Amino acid sequence: QVQLVESGGGLAQPGGSLRLSCAASGSIFRINTMGWYRQAPGKQRELVATITISGNSKYADSVKGRFTISRDNAKNTVALQMNSLKPEDTAVYYCTADLTDWSLSPKNYWGQGTQVTVSS
């Protein structure tokens, strides 16, 4: 079994910054892709950013130039630095990992989510 634990959410003012972190633990052989999704009230869950094991990243158009995703392969962690926050960034943010476990089976896991609220 694998657990993803997120931290770092909270309240920020428009134009402010927050940093989200996610740590994966458990039966992990290799984490191939890690990422962040978000879901605002009444909306579908959407991709925010992903990063591969080799460091290739992609972003939603809405966050390009403001958010930066990074990962530490040795520690099985991923972070999302969010700058120039806007009220429309308000959502529950979920960490996700596509990994291979010790049985060499591909698996996908999600964290429990962390609330980000951008408001003055």
Side-chain angles (χ1 to χ4, degrees), residues 46-118:
E46 63 176 3
L47 169 74
V48 177
T50 60
I51 186 167
T52 67
I53 193 170
S54 58
N56 293 318
S57 58
K58 68 175 182 180
Y59 298 89
D61 288 342
S62 59
V63 307
K64 282 180 181 177
R66 301 188 298 121
F67 291 10
T68 303
I69 190 170
S70 60
R71 66 184 283 177
D72 185 328
N73 292 331
K75 297 181 179 179
N76 289 333
T77 59
V78 64
L80 186 69
Q81 178 65 42
M82 305 186 293
N83 299 328
S84 303
L85 284 164
K86 304 176 180 180
E88 51 263 44
D89 294 319
T90 296
V92 177
Y93 284 69
Y94 297 91
C95 173
T96 183
D98 291 323
L99 57 86
T100 304
D101 64 16
W102 284 106
S103 70
L104 301 183
S105 299
K107 298 281 178 62
N108 175 252
Y109 289 92
W110 292 80
Q112 79 284 358
T114 186
Q115 177 70 47
V116 170
T117 302
V118 183

